[in-house]
Structures are given as C-alpha cells and as structure tokens.
C-alpha cells in the first residue's frame, strides 16, 4: 500500500532562491515540451524525448531532471486522455471538453517537480536533504515533520518524491510503500452511511454530525466575502493567511471520523461496508443556494481515508451498491419512496417501524456488505474426487 508523507523544507535565503529558480525553470520548459507534444499529436515518451531532450540539456537541466520533465508532460496527457474517455470533462462537444482538447497542457510556475534518488538524498538522523537545483546540488537543507511521519519515512520511503512550493513555502511529498496488515475473517460488517447533515452514520450507533462543520464553512465563507469586499492591503494579507484553512479543517475532521470508524471495526472484529458513490455532482440538480453545500461535501476524501486506514489495520472492507438503501426498511425490507418521510425520519409503510433515516440506511448497507463478502470469498466446498 502506497501512502504519501509531506515534509516542510526550511532552506536558507540562498537555498530558497535556488529552489524557486529551479521550479520556475523546469515548469517553463515543461510548458515548451507540452507545446511540442501537442503539435506532434502527443507521441510516445521515447519519440517525444528525441524531439525535446537536446534542448532541455542545452538549457542546463541534468540528465535525470530532463527525463523527469518529459515524463511529467507525457503523464499529464495520459491523465487528460483518461478523463476524456471516462467523460469527466463532459460530452464530446461540450465547452469544457473542447477547451481541454484545443490547447496544450500548461504547468504552473510552482507546480510539482519529481525527484528520484539520483537527484535527492535523505539524511534522516540530521533531518536534512541534499537536492539538485539549477545552481548545482545544495546540501544540508533542513526539513521538519511529525515524529510518526519521520518513522514512516525511515522504514518505508521508496520511489520518487515531489518538490512543490505553496504560498512561498517548499514541501517534499515522499512516497512510502507501507505493507498491508493481513485481513482477518470478519464477524459481521459495520455499515457506513455518508451524508451532508450527518457526515457518517454507522450501524453500531456512531454518528458524526455535520452541523458544526456546516457552521464553520458558513463563517469562513462570510469572512472571505467580507475581506474580498474591502480590497485593502491588510484584507488581502489576511486572505492569504487564511488560505486553505477551511480545507485543512475539513481534512482533519475526516481523519478523526475515519479513525473512529476503523478503530471500532478493529475492536469488534468487524469489517466495514461503504457505499460506492459516483457521479453525484453530475446527476443531482439543486437550487443555487444548495450547490455550495453539495460541491463542498468531501465524501470521496472521507472514503479514501477509511480505505487506507482499514488496510493498515487489516480490517476487511467492501463496497456495496447504494441503490434503495434509504428507501428500504432494515426490518422487513419493504421498499417504498414514501418510507423516507424527511431527512431524518424513516417510517416503514409495510411494518410500521420508526427509525432514524441514516441509521436505517446504515443497517441496510451492513447487510449488503455481508452479502458482498460472502459472494467474494473463495469457495470452501471440498473438490469433487
């Protein structure tokens, strides 16, 4: 299982200038390589290298850095074509798709640049790195990170790292290949119903309410609007200070919820059943005041956190079809659209049971999880002699 660890670099003034200049140069050259690739119909990486490698070397890039720039551009087009095939950029003649197809991919000046072990070396005990730049290799660049992150880096770091600049601060994003724990045979499943009013509701009784997070989002939105309206230097400075604060708060909240769910499953020797939610934002039509709430719903991030934490803990996890989980009675399995009286109330038209709507859905998800796990297991029937 691959996870990423982010460390913050603490370079001196000259080191920071060299890193900044390097990122600007490699991304400018990546834009040029992208233009060449677009003009030649996006050839394969080997053919693209023949057209661009000599100029990259002439501009002062090292051999490995030049190879990474070419590979970064080719990977960018691979991702673009995959999104086009999947329909993530709209239909064939939609404005968004035509815009994406009609011009070469561009890279921001501070976009990430990959580094391998030939361009970057780590000194974990001293918490420093030695890194290639356009001004030569600079050594003893300090970095800081959490103690647990440093431990993971020492044991499992493997592969490339990405250098990025964010708000004037440099970070290294390291890939770590962490072994997965051996999954146990689950004694049942915990169903997890994801939502906006209640971020997560489990069949064991845990409920993470979204009311506090919703209020926090509204406060941040009002504050941003107030500062943007002022348009003074101090207001712009405050906006820059507060950038990504809401994003970090939501991410931390999702980490806490995911850890609580996985810990409960591990403690009770249960598995976890999640809904396979796809295409919600394209499928759902809402009034304008509700669109901000829907598009800021970080259900995919929460699902990813649950998945990787479950793998590290050895907790079995399955995905189930979410169809009719909110309309089906968990007691008699009667399905009726009218069973869902409102957001929080479920009253079965068949047996008359009254329950919390999200709790009822979580029980349906748990039962589907058992069915999926049973269907996916290897057969234990003895072979026919």
């Amino acid at each position: 299982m691959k996870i990423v660890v982010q460390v913050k670099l603490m370079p001196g003034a000259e080191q920071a200038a060299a890193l900044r200049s390097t990122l600007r140069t490699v991304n400018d050259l990546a834009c040029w390589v992208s233009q060449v690739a677009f003009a030649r119909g996006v050839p394969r990486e080997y053919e693209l290298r023949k057209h661009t490698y000599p100029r990259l070397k002439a501009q002062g890039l090292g051999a490995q850095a030049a190879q990474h720039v070419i590979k970064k551009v080719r990977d960018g087009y691979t991702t673009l074509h995959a999104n086009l095939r999947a329909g993530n950029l709209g239909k064939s003649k939609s404005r968004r798709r035509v815009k994406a197809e009609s011009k070469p991919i561009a890279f921001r000046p501070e976009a990430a640049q990959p580094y391998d072990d030939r361009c970057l070396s780590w000194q974990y005990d001293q918490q420093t790195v030695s890194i290639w730049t356009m001004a030569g290799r600079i050594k003893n660049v300090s970095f800081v990170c959490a103690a647990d992150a440093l431990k993971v880096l020492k044991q499992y770091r493997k592969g490339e790292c990405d250098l990025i600049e964010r708000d004037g601060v440099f970070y290294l994003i390291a890939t770590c290949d962490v072994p997965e724990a051996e999954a146990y045979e689950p004694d049942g499943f915990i169903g997890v119903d994801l939502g906006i009013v209640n971020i997560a509701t489990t069949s064991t009784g845990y409920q993470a309410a979204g009311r506090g997070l919703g209020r926090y989002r509204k406060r941040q939105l009002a504050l941003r609007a107030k500062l943007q309206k002022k348009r003074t230097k101090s207001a712009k400075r405050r906006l820059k200070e507060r950038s990504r604060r809401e994003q970090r708060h939501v991410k931390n909240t999702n980490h806490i919820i995911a850890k609580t769910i996985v810990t409960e499953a591990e403690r009770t020797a249960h598995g976890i059943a999640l809904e396979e939610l796809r295409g919600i934002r394209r499928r759902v039509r809402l009034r304008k005041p509700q669109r901000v709430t829907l598009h800021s719903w970080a259900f995919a991030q929460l699902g990813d956190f649950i998945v990787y934490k479950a793998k590290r803990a050895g907790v079995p996890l399955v995905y189930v079809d979410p169809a009719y989980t909110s309309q089906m009675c968990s007691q008699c399995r009667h399905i009726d659209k009218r069973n869902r009286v409102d957001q929080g109330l479920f009253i079965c038209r068949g047996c008359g049971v009254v329950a919390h709507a999200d709790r009822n859905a979580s029980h349906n998800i748990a039962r589907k999880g058992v069915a999926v796990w049973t269907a996916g297991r290897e057969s234990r029937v003895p072979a026919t002699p």
Side-chain angles (χ1 to χ4, degrees):
M1 177 181 64
K2 294 187 182 299
I3 65 172
V4 295
V5 174
Q6 177 178 284
V7 302
K8 180 179 178 181
L9 296 181
M10 307 291 289
E14 293 183 1
Q15 294 174 337
L19 292 173
R20 186 170 293 108
S21 175
T22 300
L23 279 182
R24 300 297 189 272
T25 302
V26 295
N27 284 305
D28 286 344
L29 292 173
C31 291
W32 172 77
V33 174
S34 178
Q35 293 171 3
V36 174
F38 185 79
R40 296 182 175 273
V42 192
R44 293 180 180 273
E45 186 178 336
Y46 179 75
E47 185 180 350
L48 182 60
R49 188 179 297 125
K50 290 193 299 183
H51 296 297
T52 57
Y53 183 77
R55 178 173 171 180
L56 294 178
K57 286 287 292 181
Q59 293 291 327
L61 266 66
Q64 289 301 112
Q67 302 284 9
H68 283 307
V69 168
I70 297 170
K71 187 177 184 298
K72 178 169 73 170
V73 173
R74 194 62 188 85
D75 290 345
Y77 279 103
T78 301
T79 302
L80 174 62
H81 293 159
N83 284 327
L84 292 174
R85 287 194 300 269
N88 296 334
L89 298 177
K91 297 181 180 179
S92 59
K93 294 185 179 180
S94 66
R95 182 182 301 177
R96 187 182 178 193
R97 179 162 182 156
V98 170
K99 183 179 179 181
E101 292 177 320
S102 61
K103 62 181 182 179
I105 293 176
F107 295 87
R108 293 176 291 104
E110 66 277 5
Q113 171 66 12
Y115 279 78
D116 60 16
D117 288 341
R118 296 184 182 181
C119 307
L120 173 71
S121 60
W122 298 75
Q123 296 80 43
Y124 299 113
D125 294 335
Q126 294 80 21
Q127 287 195 215
T128 60
V129 295
S130 171
I131 188 169
W132 172 88
T133 68
M134 295 294 296
R137 196 176 187 96
I138 57 176
K139 300 181 179 180
N140 299 323
V141 182
S142 301
F143 70 86
V144 292
C145 63
D148 291 340
L150 183 61
K151 184 178 179 181
V152 173
L153 276 175
K154 285 183 177 181
Q155 293 181 339
Y156 305 116
R157 190 198 65 80
K158 185 178 181 181
E160 295 180 353
C161 304
D162 288 341
L163 173 68
I164 64 171
E165 181 185 3
R166 186 186 301 142
D167 298 331
V169 182
F170 294 95
Y171 298 92
L172 278 174
I173 312 297
T175 303
C176 299
D177 194 0
V178 179
E180 297 181 14
E182 185 177 354
Y184 52 79
E185 184 69 21
D187 185 20
F189 274 81
I190 296 176
V192 182
D193 180 66
L194 305 179
I196 297 176
V197 176
N198 295 307
I199 301 174
T201 304
T202 69
S203 55
T204 56
Y206 172 69
Q207 188 176 72
R211 188 176 183 181
L213 187 58
R215 287 178 174 177
Y216 178 83
R217 287 187 185 277
K218 288 182 179 179
R219 287 199 305 270
Q220 297 302 313
L221 181 63
L223 181 57
R224 285 196 300 269
K226 182 179 178 181
L227 292 173
Q228 289 167 356
K229 188 176 180 180
K230 285 183 176 296
R231 305 183 66 179
T232 60
K233 288 186 178 180
S234 60
K236 292 178 182 178
R237 186 169 60 251
R238 289 293 303 277
L239 279 171
K240 187 175 181 180
E241 292 173 355
R242 302 185 67 85
S243 64
R244 297 188 179 90
R245 182 172 295 187
E246 179 181 331
Q247 178 184 358
R248 293 194 297 270
H249 179 78
V250 173
K251 187 175 182 180
N252 181 65
T253 302
N254 283 337
H255 268 299
I256 294 172
I257 295 172
K259 186 174 182 179
T260 303
I261 293 172
V262 172
T263 302
E264 174 70 12
E266 186 180 15
R267 184 182 64 83
T268 58
H270 278 60
I272 298 175
L274 287 176
E275 301 171 282
E276 193 172 7
L277 300 176
R278 292 182 179 178
I280 292 178
R281 295 186 174 94
R282 296 195 306 268
R283 186 173 66 249
V284 177
R285 295 290 181 268
L286 294 174
R287 294 184 296 111
K288 192 172 182 179
Q290 296 174 311
R291 293 174 193 168
V292 175
T293 303
L294 175 67
H295 288 275
S296 61
W297 179 27
F299 65 90
Q301 184 187 72
L302 175 58
D304 291 342
F305 288 169
I306 294 175
V307 169
Y308 99 81
K309 291 179 189 292
K311 286 182 178 180
R312 292 195 68 177
V315 176
L317 186 141
V318 295
Y319 282 98
V320 303
D321 185 2
Y324 305 109
T325 53
S326 63
Q327 301 176 13
M328 180 190 299
C329 177
S330 60
Q331 300 296 323
C332 68
R333 303 188 186 181
H334 173 69
I335 300 176
D336 194 326
K337 204 171 185 179
R338 298 171 297 173
N339 286 349
R340 186 75 178 260
V341 178
D342 55 29
Q343 191 282 323
L345 182 60
F346 183 93
I347 302 178
C348 180
R349 299 276 174 166
C351 65
V353 67
V354 179
H356 189 281
D358 294 339
R359 189 69 49 76
N360 175 79
S362 68
H363 285 293
N364 290 328
I365 294 169
R367 186 177 64 252
K368 285 189 174 185
V370 174
V372 170
W373 178 263
T374 303
R377 286 186 304 184
E378 295 180 358
S379 176
R380 297 184 180 180
V381 179
T384 304

